[in-house]
Amino acid sequence: MRSRVGILLAIVVLVVLWGAPGYAHGGATVTVHSDGRGSVWITAQWQDGHPINEPTPVTLTAVPVSGGGPSVGPSTLRQTGDERGTQTYGGALAPGLWQVAVDLGAPVDGHCRARVPVAAADASPAPVEVACLIPATQTSAAEPPPGTAGGSLTPLWFTLGGLAVAGAALGWFVARRRMARGEQGIPSQER
């Protein structure tokens, strides 16, 4: 009986201490997209594949490569909350070749650049996708996102609930075996 309880306690300790917290995603991949007609958006995912849907301030700045015309931004991108972590630029870039820079705030803290061609109305568009790898920062790897109590605790609660049920079942089984043998916790001298 004691060995079973010891094993159960060891499993509980390993489950609680084993993995990284649910919010520790590591680095990120940010991809700058353009449809070739002036629309620009980004998709962002953590290194573990989860979309970056946490409130992340993202600004876009675009400078014409040829030097003609005014620069755009910095403009704040709008988060869509989709499964790809999409954030969109509300305007449209004019025809020409643009150097687009995207700056992401906490919890990502990164920067991505892409050359984005925008076709004239009578030309064929050339869509663009440029991916940037952003290494993990102390913020993205260790701190919970703002407004949360520390990430997703659902797997931990399921594990602890399952262990509690297993412990109760083990206790019931042991008590039933003792009852079947006639053991009722009475010292043998009083029988």
Side-chain angles (χ1 to χ4, degrees), residues 35 37-40 60 62 72 89-95 98 118:
D35 64 357
R37 293 279 184 210
S39 294
V40 179
L60 174 137
V72 172
Y89 169 59
L93 300 177
W98 294 85
V118 178

Side-chain angles (χ1 to χ4, degrees), residues 100-130:
V100 173
V102 177
D103 290 295
L104 294 92
V108 180
D109 293 323
H111 182 78
C112 185
R113 283 194 221 176
R115 284 193 173 226
V116 174
V118 178
D122 59 345
S124 296
V128 171
E129 286 188 10
V130 176

